[in-house]
Every structure is written in C-alpha cells, then in structure tokens.
Amino acid sequence: MPAVLNGCATSDHRRNTTRSLRRGLRDPRPPVVHPRDKPRSTHSSSRCARRIPCPGRSVLVVRLVGFDRNSLVLLQQRNFRIFAAGFASSLLGANMAAVALTFAVLSRGGSLSDLSLVLAARILPLTLFLLGGGVIGDRFPRRYVLAVADSLRLLGQFGLAACFLFDQAPLAAVLALCAFVGFSEALFEPAFEGLVPELATTEQLHDANALLGLLRSAAAVGGPAIAGVLVAVAGPVSALLVCAAGYGVSVTTVLLRVQDKHLQDTSGERRPSMLRQLRQGWTLFRSQRWLWAITLQFAMFNLLVWAPFLVLGPVQMQSHYGGGGASGIVMAVYGVGGAAMLGRRPSRPLVLATAVTIAWAAPSAALALRAQLAAVVVAAFLAGFGSTTFSAVFSTAVQQRVPADALSRIRSYVALGAFSLGPLGLAASGPVAEATSIETVLAIGVGWQVLANGALLAMPVIRRFRQL
C-alpha cells in the first residue's frame, strides 16, 4: 500500500496516474483518501447534504420578479414589520382622505371655489410648518412625534366627519379642521424620514426604503379606490370615519409596539434652541451640493411638469380619451413597479436616480402628442417606476450621508424646497394653457425635464457619488 502524505499518494503512484491519463485511460485504482477526509458516518454525510441549499419554487419565483429573497428579510424582523403595518394604515387613511373630503364638500352643495379653499387649507399649513416639524423630529423621540401627528390627524378627521354628519357646520370650521390636519402632516413627514434608519441597519436601508416606497405606491392606488367604493355605498362621512380609523391603527402600532433607537444627548450640555437647530440644519443642507441641486430640480419639476399634468391632464383625458375611466386607469398604473429596487444596490445611486426621473415627463409627452390610450398607460407605468426607484435610492443616499440627529431637519428643507413652487404651477397652468394651448404647456414641461436631468448628470458631484 503506497505511503500517504497530506492526503496525496507517493511519487510512483502519481507517475502511474500521469501515464494512464496520457494514454487517455482512467486510473483503475481508486483514489487514495486521507482518513481525516473520510466522512465519519453515513448519518453525518446525509446531515451535511441536507444543509446544501436547493433552489425551490419560491426562489425561482423571486428571481423571476427581479429581486432576491434576502431583500425581504426585513419583514421577518418584528419591529420593522409592525412599523410597516402602522405606516401602511396611516398611508391608506391619508390617501382616502382627499377623495372622501372632496365628495363630502360636493355632497353638501359646495361650489368648486369652496372645494379649492378646502384643499388649499390643508396645503398651506403643511408648507408653513414643515421646517418646525423637522426640528421637532430631531429634538424628540421620533416614534412619539409620529404618534402625536397621527393622533392629531385622527381628531381632525373625526371633526370633519362630525361637520358633514350634522350638515350645520360653517365652511370656516371645515377650513380650520383641514388646516389642523395639514399641520399634523407637517409633523409626520420629517419624523418618519428620520425614523427609518433607527429601524434598519446600514446594509438594510436600501431595502427598507424600497419596501416603504412599495407601500406608498399601493396606498396611492388603493386608498382612492377604497374611498370611492365607500362613498358610493355608505356616503362620504363613512369614508372619513374609516380614514380616522386608519390613523388610530397607526398610533397604536407606533406608540405601543415599535422600539426606536433615539439618540439622546448625554453630554450634559444645554440643548440649543429650536431656532439655532434650524440654522444648523440649513448650514448642513447648503453644504451638500448634490442635495440642494436635486431639490432645485425637484422644485422645477413640480412647477413645470407635475402641476400642469395634474391640472391639464384630466382635461386632455376628458377631451380625447373618454373621461374619468381612462384617467383612473392612467393614475392607477403609477403604483405598479414599486418592487423594482428590492435587493438592488446601484454603485452610482444619484446617476440612476437622475436618469430614471426623465420618465416623469413621459405621461405629459404622451398627452401632448395625443397618443393612443395604451401609450399613455405605458408612459404612466414608466413614470411610476421612475418615482419609486428615485424614492428608494434618494432616501437611502440622504440617510447614509446625513447625521442621524439632523435627518428630520434636512428632509424638511428638501420637502419645502421641492414643493414650494407647486401651488404656483397649479395656479398658472390653466391661464397659460388658455393663452397658448394644453399641448404647448405640457411640451414645455417635457423639454425642461429632459434638459434639467441632462444638466444634473453633467455635474461631477452627481456622477462621482458612490453607494456606501
């Protein structure tokens, strides 16, 4: 029997094996195996075999839809799962509220002017108090801020339901309650954006934002649909009460079940004033060139692309595509494609985020060209895909680069800058379209979006930004 050294045969055995291989024959002798390399028992060997992963049907399905099963590991974590459920409930209530409130105003004989005032009463305090909401979100435990915000929204929705139930409340009371709800939303959004990194690790941030973006898309489609059914079956007051119930579920889950990692100041130094914290947040925001560049581009998008689409899109759909049914289909497909970024971590996130937002102008382009309805639907799908992709990538970039104790303030500056020009676009779209044409206004927005995104992609700070 040949001697064995480190599991290998002697030189004679190796020479014989080499000769056999040169003749194209297999060595008839069995390979020499070191005793340490032998399996201890058949039972042990089978146990090892069972540990080898075998791609089953679920893995194949996951691969077909474009993301890995590991991207859903966050949903196995109780804390994040409960938070996501509460967030989904809050989102559903928020997306139902607009439809329910619109029909509530119209059902009591309100005019279009009354409806405009009611909708604007929510937007104005939301814009005015965003910065204050950012400071509060950085100053106090964010889950408590979210609970307070949704509690206030719950009270506001109950108050609105009571106003329309008794049908005696003056318009001023309705406007005041809408402003109260808008103030609550100004508290909610910055605190929410800052809470996500406290519930997920750095490696999980991208998947967390993609999952939450998917919930946003689903609620944006499902909320108005559920509200419409409730209004048709039970009336707008019932829809408002269901909205309030959604906020109640959110308060219960966030306050009683979610555990955050709020960073408390243990240095013993006196906490700076809210005004000073606001200035510190502005200094940090201004120092991030990539951040304010994207915020500026977002502001111009809302002014020139999104606001005209919201005002003129329904008119174009009514004139050339048959009205509300076609418009509902187009808006519904915005929520499709939300899971596209699960499990994907682009090496150059801002390049991807900027490139996909060119698709935001696709619906306006299709309507300006009076394309077939199928083309408009495809354009809306592309825009929705671009929106969910941008949201996941941009949120992750901000959360990775901005200090945790300043996240809410930074996101409040981004939101204020991005949406500040939206009301102006809503007010100007109609008169400008009457002076020119609907197609002209929509085409101007498409041209701007392409040029603005090209300018952003040409900036070195955007191209050199890397995933952490």
Side-chain angles (χ1 to χ4, degrees):
M1 185 172 109
V4 176
L5 181 63
N6 293 332
C8 298
T10 61
S11 59
D12 292 336
H13 179 69
R14 287 197 299 269
R15 281 197 298 271
N16 292 335
T17 303
T18 304
R19 277 194 218 102
S20 298
L21 291 174
R22 285 176 180 173
R23 291 196 303 267
L25 303 174
R26 290 184 61 186
D27 189 354
R29 290 170 293 185
V32 180
V33 181
H34 193 276
R36 289 176 302 182
D37 297 332
K38 294 181 180 180
R40 296 182 180 179
S41 67
T42 305
H43 179 70
S44 173
S45 177
S46 63
R47 196 165 58 238
C48 294
R50 283 198 298 269
R51 286 199 294 264
I52 299 174
C54 180
R57 194 173 297 174
S58 61
V59 176
L60 293 177
V61 172
V62 168
R63 286 177 180 171
L64 284 174
V65 298
F67 56 89
D68 191 83
R69 181 172 55 184
N70 292 331
S71 62
L72 300 179
V73 71
L74 269 171
L75 294 180
Q76 300 174 9
Q77 299 178 10
R78 175 181 174 278
N79 205 33
F80 185 85
R81 186 170 64 249
I82 293 174
F83 169 74
F87 176 60
S89 177
S90 179
L91 275 178
L92 200 61
N95 282 279
M96 291 174 60
V99 174
L101 187 59
T102 297
F103 283 100
V105 172
L106 296 177
S107 66
R108 61 179 260 170
S111 65
L112 291 179
S113 298
D114 293 339
L115 181 60
S116 298
L117 287 174
V118 167
L119 297 179
R122 169 185 160 270
I123 298 297
L124 184 59
L126 171 61
T127 305
L128 292 178
F129 289 104
L130 260 176
L131 297 183
V135 174
I136 292 173
D138 285 337
R139 199 175 179 92
F140 302 100
R142 288 169 178 137
R143 74 186 184 105
Y144 293 134
V145 176
L146 292 184
V148 170
D150 271 350
S151 297
L152 296 178
R153 289 202 281 186
L154 184 152
L155 293 175
Q157 291 297 332
F158 268 128
L160 287 170
C163 286
F164 292 109
L165 179 63
F166 297 107
D167 202 23
Q168 297 295 327
L171 179 62
V174 175
L175 295 178
L177 287 168
C178 289
F180 184 72
V181 173
F183 166 76
S184 307
E185 292 180 358
L187 291 178
F188 182 91
E189 288 298 332
F192 166 78
E193 296 291 347
L195 183 61
V196 176
E198 300 178 19
L199 303 174
T201 64
T202 303
E203 294 76 16
Q204 296 171 333
L205 267 181
H206 190 83
D207 289 335
N209 287 308
L211 284 169
L212 295 174
L214 180 59
L215 291 178
R216 284 186 186 273
S217 299
V221 175
I226 295 173
V229 172
L230 286 173
V231 168
V233 173
V237 173
S238 298
L240 289 172
L241 291 175
V242 173
C243 295
Y247 294 133
V249 173
S250 174
V251 171
T252 303
T253 55
V254 171
L255 186 60
L256 300 181
R257 311 294 290 179
V258 174
Q259 300 176 359
D260 61 356
K261 302 175 183 177
H262 181 68
L263 301 176
Q264 295 182 349
D265 186 9
T266 58
S267 62
E269 298 180 0
R270 185 179 179 182
R271 179 182 292 180
S273 66
M274 295 184 68
L275 185 59
R276 183 178 178 186
Q277 284 187 307
L278 199 60
R279 289 198 299 265
Q280 290 172 346
W282 169 251
T283 301
L284 180 59
F285 172 79
R286 189 178 57 183
S287 68
Q288 303 294 323
R289 190 180 177 193
W290 62 273
L291 191 57
W292 60 256
I294 291 179
T295 302
L296 178 61
Q297 188 260 2
F298 211 138
M300 297 304 296
F301 159 77
N302 279 314
L303 174 67
L304 298 176
V305 183
W306 186 239
F309 175 77
L310 290 178
V311 174
L312 305 177
V315 178
Q316 199 78 332
M317 297 297 295
Q318 181 69 34
S319 301
H320 304 287
Y321 298 94
S327 181
I329 295 174
V330 170
M331 296 305 295
V333 298
Y334 266 94
V336 182
M341 291 308 297
L342 282 172
R344 305 183 186 277
R345 291 164 181 80
S347 59
R348 297 186 179 184
L350 295 189
V351 171
L352 174 63
T354 304
V356 297
T357 52
I358 296 177
W360 287 354
S364 295
L367 292 178
L369 295 172
R370 297 183 185 177
Q372 296 294 322
L373 179 60
V376 179
V377 171
V378 171
F381 169 80
L382 293 175
F385 170 80
S387 179
T388 53
T389 300
F390 173 85
S391 177
V393 173
F394 180 71
S395 294
T396 303
V398 174
Q399 291 161 358
Q400 288 180 341
R401 302 301 175 110
V402 174
D405 59 352
L407 262 176
S408 295
R409 279 171 288 170
I410 294 302
R411 288 311 298 250
S412 67
Y413 276 112
V414 171
L416 179 63
F419 297 109
S420 58
L421 298 180
L424 177 61
L426 292 172
S429 296
V432 173
E434 290 176 349
T436 56
S437 67
I438 292 177
E439 289 79 10
T440 299
V441 175
L442 294 175
I444 289 174
V446 173
W448 166 261
Q449 186 70 6
V450 174
L451 290 176
N453 281 45
L456 271 183
L457 289 173
M459 295 178 63
V461 70
I462 299 295
R463 296 197 312 272
R464 295 171 185 169
F465 192 100
R466 297 285 181 172
Q467 177 82 29
L468 293 180

